[in-house]
């Protein structure tokens, strides 16, 4: 592999990881202040994980998302479906970043439910599009899809328990 390609790949990987972690940082800005007050006061279902579990889970998921993005991004402009795959990835990433402001920032389980429903669909579409470009990239997104499915069930329960 040529040195220029190695440097380009390293830059693309760093940008991919940074983009995904940035979505997490946006979420954290809205989440942390709401945990001890508003979120703690909500009635929760029995399957609610402890609050400390969310940060490490999301950090790992954002890392896998970043590697997945890198694998698709580095395929090159001529790869069929690459542009569409990247477009829908960034749509789901924007929805991901929007969920915390909707749920925690607005203190609204209903707004969170609306965003997470769209996010779930966008991740499903991303998985399908990534699969056509890189099966490894799609596999790396499966834990994210599973976690958001669980988070959607939790959000729905919080919405119904706290009208």
């Amino acid at each position: 592999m040529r040195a220029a390609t190695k440097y380009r790949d390293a830059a693309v990987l760093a940008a991919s990881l940074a983009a995904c972690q940035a979505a997490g940082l946006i979420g954290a800005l809205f989440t942390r202040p709401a945990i001890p007050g508003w979120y703690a006061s909500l009635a929760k279902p029995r399957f609610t994980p402890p609050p400390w579990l969310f940060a490490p889970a999301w950090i790992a998921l954002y890392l896998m998302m970043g590697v997945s993005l890198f694998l698709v991004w580095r395929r090159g402009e001529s790869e069929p479906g690459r542009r569409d795959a990247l477009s829908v990835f960034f749509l789901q990433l924007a929805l991901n970043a929007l969920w915390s402001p909707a749920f925690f920032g607005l203190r609204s389980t209903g707004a969170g439910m609306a965003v997470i429903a769209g996010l779930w669909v966008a991740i499903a579409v991303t998985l399908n599009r990534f699969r056509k470009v890189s099966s490894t990239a799609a596999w790396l997104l499966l834990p994210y899809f599973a976690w958001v499915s669980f988070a959607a069930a939790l959000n729905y329960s919080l919405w119904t328990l706290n009208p």
Side-chain angles (χ1 to χ4, degrees):
M1 185 182 275
R2 293 186 5 224
T5 303
K6 285 184 182 181
Y7 288 123
R8 187 204 61 183
D9 281 356
V12 169
L13 177 59
S16 297
L17 294 170
C20 294
Q21 292 297 334
L25 289 174
I26 291 167
L29 291 173
F30 290 90
T31 302
R32 285 188 183 179
I35 295 289
W38 177 74
Y39 184 76
S41 73
L42 295 176
K44 296 176 189 67
R46 287 180 290 149
F47 64 89
T48 303
W52 62 263
L53 180 65
F54 289 92
W58 276 113
I59 290 168
L61 292 169
Y62 286 127
L63 284 171
M64 288 187 286
M65 289 165 61
V67 173
S68 179
L69 173 60
F70 166 72
L71 292 174
V72 171
W73 191 345
R74 75 183 261 211
R75 284 298 182 115
E77 293 284 328
S78 63
E79 181 73 28
R82 176 185 172 267
R83 181 178 300 223
D84 288 340
L86 292 174
S87 295
V88 75
F89 180 89
F90 284 109
L91 171 64
Q92 71 76 29
L93 190 61
L95 289 169
N96 179 301
L98 181 61
W99 183 82
S100 288
F103 185 86
F104 289 107
L106 296 175
R107 291 175 163 72
S108 173
T109 58
M113 194 67 230
V115 173
I116 207 165
L119 174 60
W120 190 87
V121 170
I123 296 168
V125 173
T126 301
L127 270 165
N128 184 46
R129 301 273 170 90
F130 271 33
R131 181 185 53 78
K132 295 174 183 176
V133 177
S134 166
S135 61
T136 303
W139 279 105
L140 284 167
L141 291 180
L142 282 177
Y144 173 46
F145 185 69
W147 183 260
V148 170
S149 297
F150 171 76
L154 179 59
N155 193 150
Y156 178 78
S157 294
L158 292 168
W159 183 41
T160 58
L161 289 171
N162 300 278

